[in-house]
Amino acid sequence: MKIMHLSDLHLGKNLNGFSLYEDQRHIHKQILQIAKEEAIDAVMIAGDVFDKSVPTNQAIQLFDEFLTSWAELHLPVFIISGNHDSAQRVAFGANLFKDNNIFISPIYDGKISHITLKDEHGNINFYLLPFIKPAIVRSYFPDEEITSYNQAVKVALKQISLNPNERNILIAHQFVTGAYTCDSEEIIVGGIDNVDAQLFQDFDYVALGHLHTPQNVLNEKIRYCGTLLKYSFSEANQEKTVTILNFPQKNKLTIYEKKLSFLHDMRKLKGSYAELTLKSNYEQTNTDDYLAITLTDEEDIPDAINRLRSIYPNIMQLTYDNLRTKTVQNIETTDIANLKTPLNLFEELYYKQNNQNLNDNQIDILQELIQDIWEEK
Ligand SMILES: [Mn+2]
């Protein structure tokens, strides 16, 4: 059996004011194509179907399109809700969808639902654990001590009795310890949301969602597949892939990835205004990519973003890297400041802002102003 592992679709996501609607449609078509080419038998979506708990009309339309196209391929699809989703809204219609082989985790009620598929080598069980918080699990197990995410997941998993002779897969959306994070995930750093990967040792594979960088945790059997698109500039240099499990029999699992290509890539560009607007520098590039541009000019360019957008229409961020922005200097406390003359103070302020000293002409003007303000009353 071949199974595709997806997560963190974040349907309806807007990035710096840009709708990713067309990008998400584009990537989904690619996923469908890969599913056909690789002869996939089932698909797992490990949470964060939507970007917002109240999805936009476009997000719902995309999800509807996705489900319909999966159902047309007659592939079983397993879906859980993530921390960005409303579990209720994702579970809407779940009982009706079952007839079309679309299995959506119900709202957590103390049990973990599972679905069993069969092939010539026997059963393969998919356990669906929606994103859970300690308080949710505690409400079903008041006698258990549950104050951390780790304890919550531990108690939730205790309710499963696995058949160790069959293939068992868990689909979950939690922050599993030891994993690498990036900017688009909204994780509480150093928080109590860590879940120990050891809890998952009895499963043959754990299809994780939540982290946006594809990666294994402990070993390749506990894996984040990552997002299908780049959702922050910290992911600009990453490749995005689809994770595929080839799982013909118990203990014969192999995992591989298929690389994805984007409608618009996300890239970082750095240079002077003159360099970035020089035709020979940009004419061979995809100028409609989503860009974070860093200008290196010492003088700010008036209306730079709009002028650059005539070449690069999809600039998402514009910053400067020059002497002014390079040095972060501390402002002194008032006690020390009180010992200095107004001219000294201004000279220091000017230096901190511009990384250069006032020239003689500027000092003359300042001295006149200072006399006007403080000394000629
Ligand atoms: Mn996510």
Side-chain angles (χ1 to χ4, degrees):
M1 186 169 293
K2 267 179 146 183
I3 308 149
M4 192 181 253
H5 171 189
L6 312 173
S7 79
D8 296 85
L9 307 183
H10 287 268
L11 299 179
K13 189 166 182 75
N14 266 287
L15 205 55
N16 300 295
F18 288 78
S19 161
L20 300 179
Y21 177 75
E22 290 301 339
D23 302 84
Q24 292 181 328
R25 287 190 83 179
H26 174 267
I27 214 77
H28 185 249
K29 283 189 188 129
Q30 238 178 89
I31 299 283
L32 284 171
Q33 193 55 39
I34 294 171
K36 288 178 201 163
E37 286 165 9
E38 299 296 310
I40 296 296
D41 300 296
V43 182
M44 309 182 283
I45 301 175
D48 282 359
V49 171
F50 295 117
D51 191 54
K52 298 262 185 294
S53 62
V54 181
T56 59
N57 291 350
Q58 277 196 339
I60 289 172
Q61 187 200 330
L62 280 170
F63 191 44
D64 187 63
E65 256 181 60
F66 287 14
L67 291 182
T68 308
S69 44
W70 290 114
E72 280 167 5
L73 290 181
H74 303 289
L75 291 179
V77 183
F78 304 101
I79 300 170
I80 62 163
S81 50
N83 59 315
H84 277 249
D85 298 310
S86 146
Q88 282 88 346
R89 292 193 176 96
V90 169
F92 170 79
N95 283 322
L96 297 171
F97 294 146
K98 278 180 195 163
D99 291 342
N100 283 300
N101 273 338
I102 291 166
F103 303 98
I104 303 177
S105 64
I107 303 155
Y108 183 74
D109 61 357
K111 298 183 217 83
I112 296 179
S113 63
H114 80 277
I115 294 98
T116 301
L117 300 181
K118 280 184 185 12
D119 63 10
E120 66 272 26
H121 295 284
N123 285 349
I124 176 160
N125 305 306
F126 295 84
Y127 291 87
L128 275 55
L129 176 65
F131 173 70
I132 49 169
K133 292 179 178 177
I136 300 172
V137 182
R138 203 159 50 226
S139 66
Y140 293 97
F141 303 97
D143 299 334
E144 299 270 3
E145 146 123 24
I146 303 171
T147 53
S148 66
Y149 279 72
N150 195 60
Q151 287 160 336
V153 171
K154 192 174 184 176
V155 170
L157 292 179
K158 259 203 320 206
Q159 316 310 315
I160 302 177
S161 56
L162 288 178
N163 179 340
N165 299 318
E166 295 180 346
R167 287 162 288 177
N168 297 304
I169 294 178
L170 177 71
I171 308 173
H173 189 97
Q174 304 289 152
F175 180 32
V176 181
T177 307
Y180 166 82
T181 64
C182 68
D183 287 346
S184 60
E185 292 150 354
E186 296 177 22
I187 274 161
I188 311 158
V189 177
I192 48 147
D193 56 347
N194 299 19
V195 174
D196 186 353
Q198 301 292 343
L199 293 181
F200 304 124
Q201 288 298 336
D202 292 339
F203 291 93
D204 296 292
Y205 185 77
V206 183
L208 289 170
H210 194 36
L211 299 188
H212 293 179
T213 305
Q215 63 198 288
N216 301 330
V217 187
L218 291 187
N219 57 56
E220 65 167 14
K221 292 179 178 179
I222 303 173
R223 180 170 169 80
Y224 288 100
C225 60
T227 47
L228 305 177
L229 294 167
K230 299 174 184 179
Y231 285 141
S232 69
F233 281 102
S234 69
E235 296 153 70
N237 297 325
Q238 289 180 10
E239 282 196 341
K240 294 295 183 181
T241 63
V242 178
T243 295
I244 297 171
L245 286 63
N246 192 0
F247 203 4
Q249 300 177 43
K250 183 87 180 172
N251 301 323
K252 285 208 172 143
L253 172 64
T254 51
I255 291 153
Y256 63 100
E257 292 169 82
K258 296 297 272 187
K259 196 175 159 230
L260 296 167
S261 61
F262 313 108
L263 188 61
H264 305 95
D265 197 0
M266 256 182 118
R267 293 191 287 126
K268 294 180 187 174
L269 272 187
K270 187 173 181 176
S272 68
Y273 184 82
E275 286 163 346
L276 293 177
T277 52
L278 187 66
K279 198 168 182 186
S280 58
N281 282 342
Y282 66 78
E283 63 185 350
Q284 303 292 342
T285 70
N286 291 326
T287 48
D288 63 349
D289 283 346
Y290 297 132
L291 298 177
I293 290 185
T294 306
L295 285 175
T296 54
D297 303 83
E298 285 303 327
E299 301 279 320
D300 284 10
I301 308 290
D303 199 26
I305 194 155
N306 286 321
R307 289 162 72 188
L308 285 166
R309 273 187 179 148
S310 65
I311 298 167
Y312 310 99
N314 297 323
I315 300 174
M316 286 186 164
Q317 289 174 11
L318 181 74
T319 51
Y320 282 89
D321 181 14
N322 55 23
L323 278 175
R324 175 172 61 80
T325 59
K326 239 179 212 137
T327 322
V328 180
Q329 304 201 36
N330 295 322
I331 306 294
E332 289 168 346
T333 59
T334 20
D335 283 353
I336 299 167
N338 280 339
L339 301 172
K340 294 179 179 167
T341 66
L343 180 63
N344 289 152
L345 285 170
F346 195 87
E347 279 175 329
E348 287 176 14
L349 173 69
Y350 187 88
Y351 183 79
K352 281 171 183 170
Q353 280 190 325
N354 302 287
N355 264 353
Q356 50 190 313
N357 289 316
L358 290 163
N359 61 35
D360 290 345
N361 190 25
Q362 288 168 321
I363 290 175
D364 287 346
I365 295 169
L366 258 172
Q367 268 172 334
E368 275 178 38
L369 280 170
I370 288 164
Q371 274 178 11
D372 282 353
I373 296 166
W374 278 283
E375 291 164 22
E376 287 195 1
K377 276 188 181 162

